[in-house]
Amino acid sequence: MSSAIAPARFSLLDRSRIREGHGAAQALRDTVALAREAERLGFHRFWVSEHHGVPGVAGSAPTVLAAAVAGATRTIRVGTGGVMLPNHRPLVVAEQFGVLESLFPGRIDMGLGRSVGFTDGVRRALGRDKDDADDFAAQLAELLGWFGGTSPTRVHAYPAEGLTVPPFVLALGEGAAIAARAGLPLVIGDLRDRERMRRGIDTYRALFRPSPWASEPYVVVSGTVAVAASQEEARRLLLPEAWSMAYSRTHGTFPPLPPAESVETRTMTAKERGFYDSGLSGHIAGTEDQVTHELDTLLQETGAQEILVTTSTYDRTALLDSHRRLAGIVHRARNSG
């Protein structure tokens, strides 16, 4: 059994994806139910995400949803993957996480990203534009300052001040350098571009400066992991998300997830088919043996300390089965010696 899997942590992120024939309320309830199952299966963290103005995603208020998840669980770490800091005032973010940490001490993670809105319309509605992402490093420093009580404004963030809420930086490219210089853990994806991911990790480790938040680099690799009885069943888990992504790239809006059998019968333009095929590639999907080998390879290549699984699909029963099989892989790795 793999020596790389055993020491690694495994966590889940759920985007509260809306499914065809099911509403946003059901998607949010599914997220909370999945968190309970993740805790039962022994996953390390459970994170929720932030999306605005997206028809296929119910998770628009991650700290609110994180509160519901933390209230429905007892031991698993709960956090955000992430709060998009350019969309918010750092003081308000600090206050929200201060409340969460006060209610659920020792269990809250503060995952932070630098994205701003999915479309120009959403950015306008948020009062933001693309350039706001360029101020992420300063926004991050301001946010951390509220916890330390070092704001030059003489204002204090209550109840955040004096609390320790572990911060993480979500990054694809340049965010890795920001995480390194701030001395924070890095969450990086995606698995479909391994070379770019490895470059980001190398940059992060080379530039890392120890901080009160982290004494050494900590890398979390995020991406889709699907485990099933056969490789074909695992691949079918990927179809709804791949189609929705292809649709969003060609129509400008992210739709609810359709069933896999519906995707298989849909007619696509050449452009849609290209995005769809691309969306199916690069993920970790297969049987337990195949996924064990791929996870082992990924962990050895990246030196990551943690895998954050971000799988979304229409069939929640199949998704739960996939997570249970993954938990079994990890359990066997840890008990093989």
Side-chain angles (χ1 to χ4, degrees):
M1 190 60 70
S2 166
S3 59
I5 291 176
R9 290 168 167 167
F10 284 80
S11 302
L12 301 184
L13 180 146
D14 192 70
R15 293 191 178 91
S16 303
R17 291 300 314 275
I18 298 171
R19 298 175 291 152
E20 286 186 1
H22 305 269
Q26 184 62 53
L28 295 170
R29 286 193 291 266
D30 286 344
T31 292
V32 175
L34 181 59
R36 291 195 191 99
E37 184 67 9
E39 180 174 79
R40 191 186 71 79
L41 292 171
F43 285 97
H44 184 62
R45 313 178 201 276
F46 188 92
W47 282 6
V48 296
S49 62
E50 175 182 338
H51 297 274
H52 299 285
V54 182
V57 181
S60 56
T63 54
V64 176
L65 185 52
V69 167
T73 55
R74 294 188 304 120
T75 57
I76 194 170
R77 297 198 64 86
V78 176
T80 56
V83 166
M84 297 301 141
L85 195 50
N87 293 337
H88 310 279
R89 294 302 308 165
L91 169 62
V92 175
V93 175
E95 290 170 337
Q96 290 173 345
F97 279 97
V99 169
L100 284 169
E101 176 64 20
S102 298
L103 291 172
F104 309 101
R107 291 179 57 204
I108 301 301
D109 298 322
M110 185 169 58
L112 306 163
R114 61 193 296 273
S115 297
V116 281
F118 183 63
T119 65
D120 289 338
V122 169
R123 286 188 286 271
R124 285 194 299 272
L126 290 168
R128 300 291 186 266
D129 58 45
K130 290 182 178 180
D131 293 339
D132 286 310
D134 297 335
D135 296 329
F136 180 68
Q139 295 161 351
L140 184 62
E142 180 184 342
L143 172 61
L144 298 181
W146 290 116
F147 287 92
T150 58
S151 172
T153 65
R154 298 184 181 178
V155 174
H156 297 272
Y158 299 124
E161 189 172 309
L163 297 180
T164 300
V165 183
F168 296 74
V169 172
L170 281 62
L172 288 176
E174 53 268 43
I178 295 173
R181 294 189 182 104
L184 301 181
L186 173 71
V187 183
I188 189 165
D190 62 43
L191 299 180
R192 291 175 296 177
D193 192 343
R194 304 287 177 94
E195 184 55 39
R196 182 186 183 194
M197 184 179 68
R198 283 193 292 267
R199 287 198 305 269
I201 292 172
D202 289 344
T203 296
Y204 169 70
R205 291 197 174 112
L207 298 177
F208 185 85
R209 300 173 184 170
S211 75
W213 302 96
S215 60
E216 57 188 25
Y218 188 90
V219 175
V220 183
V221 171
S222 67
T224 294
V225 179
V227 197
S230 69
Q231 189 168 14
E232 180 56 32
E233 287 179 64
R235 183 181 178 277
R236 292 189 87 244
L237 281 169
L238 310 179
L239 302 186
E241 181 80 4
W243 181 85
S244 293
M245 182 63 71
Y247 187 92
S248 73
R249 297 290 295 275
T250 52
H251 294 78
T253 184
F254 212 97
L257 293 175
E261 55 269 23
S262 171
V263 174
E264 291 170 325
T265 62
R266 295 191 181 193
T267 301
M268 302 183 202
T269 65
K271 188 174 184 180
E272 287 173 333
R273 178 64 65 177
F275 285 128
Y276 175 71
D277 290 340
S278 174
L280 291 173
S281 66
H283 306 294
I284 293 178
T287 64
E288 277 100 328
D289 287 346
Q290 290 169 324
V291 169
T292 297
H293 174 73
E294 290 195 50
L295 287 174
D296 189 36
T297 299
L298 175 66
L299 288 165
Q300 291 192 35
E301 286 181 352
T302 62
Q305 287 95 334
E306 187 169 343
I307 302 290
L308 178 66
V309 177
T310 63
T311 311
S312 297
T313 194
Y314 178 90
D315 188 338
R316 299 295 292 191
T317 300
L319 180 63
L320 284 172
D321 181 66
S322 175
H323 291 328
R324 289 176 186 134
R325 290 174 185 270
L326 175 59
I329 289 171
V330 177
H331 179 76
R332 286 189 293 275
R334 290 174 180 167
N335 290 278
S336 61

